[in-house]
Amino acid sequence: ALAVVILGMFFRINKYEMSILGIVILLVISSEMINTAIEEMVNLITSEHRREAKIAKDVAAGMVLIAAVGSVIVGLLIFTPYVLKLFE
């Protein structure tokens, strides 16, 4: 997240694009927090290996993965034109 903000300042992206990046960063951080909460709650409820517990943990981890992949796509869409301008 810090690297994205620094790159945004380096490329002088506009406020609209920076706000989109900020929202995406918050989405990924929030997803990770929810994932951690679900995993810890499952660990608190049961210590044995149960199919339902595995599904809950896998779905929560999948949420983080989807948010992370989406953020990479958004980052590429925003930064690609700026990076290409460096090579012109």
Side-chain angles (χ1 to χ4, degrees), residues 45-85:
I45 292 171
T46 181
S47 60
E48 59 192 50
H49 293 286
R50 298 186 61 181
R51 186 174 142 281
E52 295 86 359
K54 181 183 182 324
I55 291 171
K57 287 183 174 186
D58 288 347
V59 170
M63 173 185 60
V64 175
L65 178 64
I66 290 171
V69 169
S71 70
V72 168
I73 292 169
V74 169
L76 287 173
L77 289 172
I78 290 175
F79 283 111
T80 298
Y82 294 98
V83 172
L84 291 177
K85 283 183 185 177

Side-chain angles (χ1 to χ4, degrees), residues 13-73:
I13 65 173
N14 63 47
K15 291 179 184 179
Y16 177 72
E17 292 170 329
M18 188 60 92
S19 65
I20 291 172
L21 290 173
I23 291 169
V24 172
I25 289 168
L26 289 174
L27 175 69
V28 173
I29 291 171
S30 297
S31 296
E32 186 58 48
M33 292 171 71
I34 293 169
N35 177 43
T36 302
I38 289 172
E39 287 186 356
E40 291 301 318
M41 186 60 68
V42 168
N43 292 340
L44 181 66
I45 292 171
T46 181
S47 60
E48 59 192 50
H49 293 286
R50 298 186 61 181
R51 186 174 142 281
E52 295 86 359
K54 181 183 182 324
I55 291 171
K57 287 183 174 186
D58 288 347
V59 170
M63 173 185 60
V64 175
L65 178 64
I66 290 171
V69 169
S71 70
V72 168
I73 292 169

